[in-house]
């Protein structure tokens, strides 16, 4: 089992954060622009763990060199079933430097967008003490997802 999977399944926020590179880029399935940096990525992942219920990984796919890994998951957002995949890229030190999430179906992605939008003031405060991200307020996740 991959250490990231183990950390997520154990809801070990410290272990998850320890696996993130300082310059990690998080690409959300519901936001137009990626989120650069460890503070916002860690805060988003904590928010996702608050939003998802019945979360479980169902498959792992890894590259021969260990630098790329995909973790297929199922979860619920409210009463909506969601399927998704975490695509992870690791740097030379074994830290995640690229983290992209894709989800389906569209109705569940929309539910995720709404649920994460409701979390984003808290996420922003956890990451930056309420500062802006990438020139736009991080709470703009729903609007970003519509582009």
């Amino acid at each position: 089992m991959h250490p990231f999977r183990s950390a997520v399944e154990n809801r070990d926020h410290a272990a998850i954060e320890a696996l993130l590179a300082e310059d990690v880029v998080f690409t959300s399935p519901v936001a137009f622009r990626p989120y650069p940096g460890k503070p916002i990525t860690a805060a988003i992942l904590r928010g996702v763990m608050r939003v998802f219920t019945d979360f479980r990984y169902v498959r792992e796919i890894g590259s021969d060199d260990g630098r790329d890994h995909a973790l297929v998951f199922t979860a619920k957002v409210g009463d909506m079933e969601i399927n998704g995949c975490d695509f992870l890229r690791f740097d030379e030190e074994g830290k995640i430097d690229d983290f992209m999430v894709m989800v389906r179906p569209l109705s569940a992605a929309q539910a995720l967008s709404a649920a994460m939008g409701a979390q984003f003031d808290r996420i922003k405060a956890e990451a930056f003490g309420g500062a802006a991200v990438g020139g736009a307020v991080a709470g703009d996740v729903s609007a970003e997802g519509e582009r």
Side-chain angles (χ1 to χ4, degrees):
M1 178 182 300
H2 193 275
F4 182 80
R5 176 180 179 172
S6 178
V8 170
E9 288 179 344
N10 289 311
R11 302 183 67 80
D12 186 341
H13 299 287
I16 293 168
E17 191 165 342
L19 289 166
L20 300 175
E22 290 300 324
D23 62 348
V24 63
V25 175
F26 181 81
T27 305
S28 165
V30 295
F32 181 70
R33 290 185 204 112
Y35 292 98
K38 185 174 183 173
I40 190 65
T41 300
I44 289 169
L45 294 175
R46 287 189 299 272
V48 169
M49 291 178 84
R50 291 188 295 266
V51 167
F52 280 162
T53 59
D54 299 332
F55 181 90
R56 64 186 175 93
Y57 284 117
V58 295
R59 186 166 31 148
E60 286 188 50
I61 306 163
S63 64
D64 290 338
D65 67 2
R67 298 278 307 272
D68 292 286
H69 212 77
L71 296 163
V72 180
F73 65 84
T74 63
K76 283 188 173 184
V77 178
D79 61 353
M80 300 286 302
E81 298 275 341
I82 194 165
N83 304 101
C85 190
D86 294 335
F87 294 96
L88 310 175
R89 174 82 178 155
F90 296 86
D91 65 15
E92 296 78 26
E93 287 87 42
K95 304 280 186 175
I96 300 166
D97 64 0
D98 188 62
F99 192 129
M100 180 175 60
V101 181
M102 295 187 141
V103 297
R104 64 156 309 279
L106 177 59
S107 57
Q110 291 167 328
L112 177 61
S113 179
M116 289 301 292
Q119 290 277 318
F120 239 84
D121 284 340
R122 179 175 177 182
I123 290 168
K124 183 176 54 176
E126 288 177 7
F128 304 108
V133 177
V137 176
D140 224 4
V141 88
S142 294
E144 292 291 328
E146 293 173 2
R147 293 189 184 168

